[in-house]
Amino acid sequence: MRQHQNRSLKERLSNSAFCHFEQRGELPCIVVQHPGFTASLLPQGAQLLSFCPSGDTSWIWLSPTAEYQQGTSLRGGIPVCWPWFGNADKNSPEVQAAMAEGQPLPAHGFARTNRWTLTRLYEAADRVEIDMSLPQSHHIQSVWQGDAELTARWILTPTSMEMQMITTNTGQSTLAFSQALHTYLPTTDINATRIGGLSGYPYIDTMTGWQRKQQQGDVVFQGETDRIYLQQASPLRLVTPQRTLLIHSRGSRSTVVWNPWITKAQRLSQFEDNAWQTMLCIETANAADDWVNLAAGASHCLSLRLTVE
């Protein structure tokens, strides 16, 4: 089956001007080489691994020890969290209603380890657009009984990267879900990194027993950080020694900020012990209080767009 899927992907890319097939370990990869930028993404998990405008370094962080294995999400890039975010039991009762009972449920759902299908490729002098779909037939019915189709869309240009995740309720009743674009971002020094745009916003601090707090000033990093901000600001300003990145979002009222710091970094898979110093996550999400309640036949779009200031 996978060999057939790889052949189909190769054939689809054979006439492409800017995209080509590349095998990385056990996984096929789509590599984009446009005059204005380069990028790479995996059909497994619809996971963007890199985006690099010409003359710049990648705006997306990928672990140097990432493992290209079937059924395992890579550490870095933009993993897709769907149809639930985080641990299943931390979601609202409405989101948990579609989950199977008595089964071990993977963190962040199953979309990030499933094989997606390339459905659209558009190439022009100023952009490349790529669509992938996760049909309902690909859902793991043993852990989730929802009826939905999922589309991931990337719009890549020399000055911006946009990712959209579109959920369509194909069932006959309302569907509740949570989700996130789990974006890993690079920095040359986490101690000299800050996030602007969240001052005054309430957040859940998972490091202090899920207490609710309020942000004062810019977000800075002084230890392990795992927070769910409960209102959405757009754009956010990520200031690092190398650049100021603007993070625009739509379809979301929550933002997750994460860095594992020293101790947790030593327990993470596909993660060097000192990698916490050069990365962070800012996740465009519908999480905690901000889950989606989608009517039958309706669609919801969660989107993230990166630009530089």
Side-chain angles (χ1 to χ4, degrees), residues 36-55:
F37 57 87
T38 61
S40 58
L41 61 154
L42 299 176
Q44 176 173 285
Q47 186 171 357
L48 182 74
L49 301 182
S50 65
F51 173 75
C52 184
S54 295

mmCIF file of all heavy atoms in Angstrom, residues 36-55:
data_model
loop_
_atom_site.group_PDB
_atom_site.id
_atom_site.type_symbol
_atom_site.label_atom_id
_atom_site.label_comp_id
_atom_site.label_asym_id
_atom_site.label_seq_id
_atom_site.Cartn_x
_atom_site.Cartn_y
_atom_site.Cartn_z
ATOM 1 N N GLY A 36 12.195 31.924 -4.791
ATOM 2 C CA GLY A 36 12.045 32.836 -3.668
ATOM 3 C C GLY A 36 12.099 32.193 -2.301
ATOM 4 O O GLY A 36 12.176 32.893 -1.283
ATOM 5 N N PHE A 37 12.086 30.850 -2.227
ATOM 6 C CA PHE A 37 12.060 30.162 -0.942
ATOM 7 C C PHE A 37 12.234 28.663 -1.147
ATOM 8 O O PHE A 37 12.089 28.148 -2.270
ATOM 9 C CB PHE A 37 10.721 30.417 -0.213
ATOM 10 C CG PHE A 37 9.513 30.011 -1.021
ATOM 11 C CD1 PHE A 37 9.017 28.717 -0.984
ATOM 12 C CD2 PHE A 37 8.883 30.940 -1.847
ATOM 13 C CE1 PHE A 37 7.928 28.347 -1.741
ATOM 14 C CE2 PHE A 37 7.785 30.570 -2.611
ATOM 15 C CZ PHE A 37 7.305 29.277 -2.564
ATOM 16 N N THR A 38 12.534 27.975 -0.057
ATOM 17 C CA THR A 38 12.518 26.517 -0.048
ATOM 18 C C THR A 38 11.633 26.066 1.113
ATOM 19 O O THR A 38 11.403 26.809 2.072
ATOM 20 C CB THR A 38 13.927 25.922 0.122
ATOM 21 O OG1 THR A 38 14.477 26.358 1.372
ATOM 22 C CG2 THR A 38 14.835 26.346 -1.016
ATOM 23 N N ALA A 39 11.130 24.842 1.021
ATOM 24 C CA ALA A 39 10.295 24.281 2.075
ATOM 25 C C ALA A 39 10.318 22.765 1.950
ATOM 26 O O ALA A 39 10.715 22.214 0.918
ATOM 27 C CB ALA A 39 8.858 24.800 1.977
ATOM 28 N N SER A 40 9.896 22.093 3.010
ATOM 29 C CA SER A 40 9.747 20.637 2.958
ATOM 30 C C SER A 40 8.586 20.245 3.847
ATOM 31 O O SER A 40 8.351 20.855 4.897
ATOM 32 C CB SER A 40 11.039 19.930 3.413
ATOM 33 O OG SER A 40 11.407 20.328 4.729
ATOM 34 N N LEU A 41 7.832 19.232 3.423
ATOM 35 C CA LEU A 41 6.709 18.766 4.218
ATOM 36 C C LEU A 41 6.455 17.296 3.965
ATOM 37 O O LEU A 41 6.797 16.749 2.915
ATOM 38 C CB LEU A 41 5.451 19.582 3.938
ATOM 39 C CG LEU A 41 4.867 19.595 2.533
ATOM 40 C CD1 LEU A 41 3.367 19.879 2.592
ATOM 41 C CD2 LEU A 41 5.517 20.696 1.693
ATOM 42 N N LEU A 42 5.863 16.650 4.975
ATOM 43 C CA LEU A 42 5.617 15.217 4.953
ATOM 44 C C LEU A 42 4.143 14.927 4.727
ATOM 45 O O LEU A 42 3.284 15.519 5.394
ATOM 46 C CB LEU A 42 6.026 14.581 6.285
ATOM 47 C CG LEU A 42 7.476 14.690 6.726
ATOM 48 C CD1 LEU A 42 7.636 14.069 8.106
ATOM 49 C CD2 LEU A 42 8.413 14.021 5.724
ATOM 50 N N PRO A 43 3.806 13.974 3.856
ATOM 51 C CA PRO A 43 2.427 13.494 3.804
ATOM 52 C C PRO A 43 2.010 12.816 5.113
ATOM 53 O O PRO A 43 0.836 12.877 5.483
ATOM 54 C CB PRO A 43 2.446 12.508 2.638
ATOM 55 C CG PRO A 43 3.552 12.994 1.755
ATOM 56 C CD PRO A 43 4.602 13.479 2.713
ATOM 57 N N GLN A 44 2.938 12.171 5.811
ATOM 58 C CA GLN A 44 2.581 11.646 7.123
ATOM 59 C C GLN A 44 2.365 12.817 8.078
ATOM 60 O O GLN A 44 3.269 13.594 8.358
ATOM 61 C CB GLN A 44 3.661 10.733 7.688
ATOM 62 C CG GLN A 44 3.322 10.257 9.116
ATOM 63 C CD GLN A 44 4.268 9.228 9.655
ATOM 64 O OE1 GLN A 44 4.221 8.058 9.271
ATOM 65 N NE2 GLN A 44 5.152 9.635 10.554
ATOM 66 N N GLY A 45 1.147 12.939 8.566
ATOM 67 C CA GLY A 45 0.819 14.001 9.500
ATOM 68 C C GLY A 45 0.625 15.360 8.875
ATOM 69 O O GLY A 45 0.377 16.326 9.594
ATOM 70 N N ALA A 46 0.752 15.480 7.541
ATOM 71 C CA ALA A 46 0.681 16.799 6.887
ATOM 72 C C ALA A 46 1.553 17.784 7.649
ATOM 73 O O ALA A 46 1.126 18.868 8.039
ATOM 74 C CB ALA A 46 -0.767 17.289 6.823
ATOM 75 N N GLN A 47 2.794 17.395 7.866
ATOM 76 C CA GLN A 47 3.686 18.132 8.765
ATOM 77 C C GLN A 47 4.707 18.944 7.973
ATOM 78 O O GLN A 47 5.593 18.391 7.314
ATOM 79 C CB GLN A 47 4.399 17.157 9.700
ATOM 80 C CG GLN A 47 5.238 17.824 10.770
ATOM 81 C CD GLN A 47 5.756 16.834 11.803
ATOM 82 O OE1 GLN A 47 5.447 15.639 11.758
ATOM 83 N NE2 GLN A 47 6.543 17.314 12.735
ATOM 84 N N LEU A 48 4.579 20.262 8.047
ATOM 85 C CA LEU A 48 5.596 21.139 7.467
ATOM 86 C C LEU A 48 6.852 21.050 8.322
ATOM 87 O O LEU A 48 6.800 21.202 9.536
ATOM 88 C CB LEU A 48 5.092 22.582 7.427
ATOM 89 C CG LEU A 48 6.040 23.596 6.787
ATOM 90 C CD1 LEU A 48 6.058 23.425 5.276
ATOM 91 C CD2 LEU A 48 5.635 25.021 7.152
ATOM 92 N N LEU A 49 7.993 20.819 7.678
ATOM 93 C CA LEU A 49 9.261 20.676 8.393
ATOM 94 C C LEU A 49 10.122 21.922 8.336
ATOM 95 O O LEU A 49 10.875 22.204 9.273
ATOM 96 C CB LEU A 49 10.056 19.494 7.827
ATOM 97 C CG LEU A 49 9.389 18.122 7.868
ATOM 98 C CD1 LEU A 49 10.346 17.080 7.302
ATOM 99 C CD2 LEU A 49 8.946 17.755 9.270
ATOM 100 N N SER A 50 10.035 22.670 7.234
ATOM 101 C CA SER A 50 10.895 23.844 7.081
ATOM 102 C C SER A 50 10.264 24.822 6.115
ATOM 103 O O SER A 50 9.489 24.437 5.227
ATOM 104 C CB SER A 50 12.286 23.443 6.582
ATOM 105 O OG SER A 50 12.207 22.900 5.266
ATOM 106 N N PHE A 51 10.599 26.098 6.294
ATOM 107 C CA PHE A 51 10.254 27.152 5.336
ATOM 108 C C PHE A 51 11.348 28.196 5.426
ATOM 109 O O PHE A 51 11.598 28.771 6.493
ATOM 110 C CB PHE A 51 8.897 27.777 5.642
ATOM 111 C CG PHE A 51 8.609 28.968 4.769
ATOM 112 C CD1 PHE A 51 8.255 28.795 3.442
ATOM 113 C CD2 PHE A 51 8.736 30.262 5.263
ATOM 114 C CE1 PHE A 51 8.019 29.887 2.621
ATOM 115 C CE2 PHE A 51 8.502 31.372 4.449
ATOM 116 C CZ PHE A 51 8.138 31.176 3.121
ATOM 117 N N CYS A 52 12.008 28.432 4.298
ATOM 118 C CA CYS A 52 13.189 29.291 4.308
ATOM 119 C C CYS A 52 13.173 30.235 3.113
ATOM 120 O O CYS A 52 13.449 29.811 1.984
ATOM 121 C CB CYS A 52 14.445 28.421 4.267
ATOM 122 S SG CYS A 52 15.983 29.338 4.394
ATOM 123 N N PRO A 53 12.836 31.514 3.327
ATOM 124 C CA PRO A 53 12.948 32.482 2.228
ATOM 125 C C PRO A 53 14.400 32.593 1.754
ATOM 126 O O PRO A 53 15.341 32.409 2.540
ATOM 127 C CB PRO A 53 12.469 33.789 2.861
ATOM 128 C CG PRO A 53 11.627 33.363 4.025
ATOM 129 C CD PRO A 53 12.280 32.112 4.539
ATOM 130 N N SER A 54 14.583 32.905 0.514
ATOM 131 C CA SER A 54 15.932 33.012 -0.043
ATOM 132 C C SER A 54 16.746 34.036 0.743
ATOM 133 O O SER A 54 16.268 35.133 1.045
ATOM 134 C CB SER A 54 15.869 33.422 -1.510
ATOM 135 O OG SER A 54 15.247 32.414 -2.278
ATOM 136 N N GLY A 55 17.968 33.654 1.104
ATOM 137 C CA GLY A 55 18.856 34.526 1.851
ATOM 138 C C GLY A 55 18.641 34.509 3.350
ATOM 139 O O GLY A 55 19.312 35.233 4.082
#
